[in-house]
Amino acid sequence: MLSPAVLHRIKAAAHVCVFTGAGMSAESGIPTFRERTEGLWAKHDPLEVATPEAYKKNPQLVWDWHVHLAEKVRKASPNAGHLAVAELQKFVSRVTVITQNVDNLHQEAGNRDVLELHGSLFRLTAFVDEVEASANGLTPAICPLCKGYAVWEHCDHFADRSDLEEIELAAGRVPRCPGCGALLRPDIVWFGEMLNPRVLEGAVDAADSCDVLICVGSSLEVEPAASLPYRALRRGAAVVEINPVPTALSATADASLIGKAGDILPRLLKQVWGIEIRR
Ligand code: OAD
């Protein structure tokens, strides 16, 4: 499966990055986004369910879509691929997982250093209108009254906004800050939004400093995440890709392993360190 040269580089690596996309969790029963018939974006228009504009216009629809996805994700368990990635921690001094997934399955499998580029389905944050916020000089903060919910520092000011009242009328079961009543949302990066700069910086540092990057189950169509494997390649890391179909990265990667994460990752561990992963 791996050439002797790539095998040697993995075995000698002090820092391995595992960069993952939706394909990593496909065998756990969570749909990917861009696959032609079963992908989430084949069935739903992302502009209607995954943008701040959509949430402002129809919070209930967007909230219900996320609740439906969260129900699928809650039923899922880490697959053999996730377990293999966690197992890497026994053989490599530093393993950083950089994931585009919002399903928490790498953490459930036991990975300790996980950077969630696109957030998490299981956290809420304030619904912040960034443009209006900066115009009004407001900053979101953790409200001591609300015990960990991210809300506005100036709740009353925010609650006075007339567009918020309109949203409240339409909101139904959409979550609200129990302290100030402000609209909350899933802590996920929606289309057109910036990534959390601290998380992105951590991911760039990891891609720049790793000896090996293993890219698993991503179409590499979404920036800035998609640039990270190329960045590692340019910095001299060995890049291994795992995907059932070739991507734009396949031709330049040091190894392109065609197959499913749950098959290939355990085989990679067996070939490099001679260990078996149980399913
Ligand atoms: P995509 O749906 O774009 O791509 C999934 C990739 O996984 C494809 O290349 C498949 O060939 C591959 N794949 C399918 N089954 C697999 C398996 N069993 N093992 C390994 N690979 C498999 O998903 P992402 O690249 O993750 O953003 O998409 C990136 C972002 O686009 C997502 O994070 C999401 C979406 O809009 C947000 O939600 C913010």
Side-chain angles (χ1 to χ4, degrees):
M1 190 171 73
L2 292 169
S3 69
V6 174
L7 188 148
H8 175 74
R9 290 191 69 184
I10 299 177
K11 205 163 188 166
H15 181 195
V16 171
C17 268
V18 185
F19 173 88
T20 65
M24 180 82 228
S25 300
E27 291 153 86
S28 296
I30 302 173
T32 60
F33 291 93
R34 291 181 181 72
E35 285 178 282
R36 217 170 283 159
T37 51
E38 292 306 309
L40 289 169
W41 298 153
K43 296 180 176 173
H44 306 270
D45 180 352
L47 297 182
E48 282 176 17
V49 293
T51 65
E53 293 76 20
Y55 197 50
K56 194 164 176 173
K57 191 170 137 208
N58 193 343
Q60 192 65 61
L61 177 92
V62 174
W63 179 248
D64 286 349
W65 188 83
H66 286 82
V67 168
H68 181 68
L69 181 60
E71 278 165 6
K72 276 198 167 108
V73 169
R74 262 191 214 102
K75 286 188 201 135
S77 312
N79 63 51
H82 293 105
L83 298 180
V85 173
E87 198 73 12
L88 271 178
Q89 297 173 124
K90 293 187 183 155
F91 301 96
V92 182
S93 349
R94 183 173 168 208
V95 176
T96 309
V97 175
I98 304 172
T99 189
Q100 298 167 88
N101 300 342
V102 295
D103 56 24
N104 205 45
L105 289 181
H106 283 299
Q107 292 91 329
E108 274 185 44
N111 275 100
R112 293 180 293 274
D113 185 7
V114 182
L115 296 167
E116 295 174 311
L117 283 179
H118 292 164
S120 167
L121 253 187
F122 300 112
R123 282 194 305 267
L124 291 177
T125 188
F127 179 55
V128 177
D129 184 331
E130 299 287 352
V131 175
E132 192 147 337
S134 70
N136 290 324
L138 298 176
T139 44
I142 301 297
C143 171
L145 282 179
C146 313
K147 297 194 172 66
Y149 286 94
V151 295
W152 287 97
E153 202 174 336
H154 308 284
C155 295
D156 291 339
H157 188 121
F158 187 59
D160 278 341
R161 289 170 43 188
S162 56
D163 63 342
L164 183 65
E165 279 165 31
E166 278 167 33
I167 292 170
E168 274 176 28
L169 288 177
R173 290 176 294 114
V174 166
R176 291 187 172 280
C177 168
C180 68
L183 188 61
L184 302 174
R185 55 167 278 183
D187 191 5
I188 283 184
V189 179
W190 284 331
F191 280 84
E193 293 188 305
M194 306 285 281
L195 273 58
N196 177 323
R198 191 185 44 78
V199 177
L200 181 59
E201 200 180 298
V204 167
D205 282 352
D208 282 353
S209 64
C210 67
D211 305 303
V212 170
L213 183 143
I214 306 175
C215 174
V216 189
S218 179
S219 62
L220 298 172
E221 288 194 20
V222 174
E223 292 292 356
S227 298
L228 293 169
Y230 295 98
R231 204 176 161 110
L233 202 56
R234 278 198 305 277
R235 293 286 174 129
V239 172
V240 176
E241 187 184 45
I242 299 174
N243 199 308
V245 298
T247 71
L249 177 69
S250 309
T252 41
D254 294 271
S256 163
L257 307 177
I258 299 293
K260 295 181 174 182
D263 291 332
I264 303 280
L265 277 161
R267 282 172 56 200
L268 186 147
L269 264 77
K270 179 134 200 265
Q271 196 186 353
V272 179
W273 291 285
I275 59 141
E276 299 276 356
I277 302 289
R278 75 244 173 262
R279 268 179 196 269

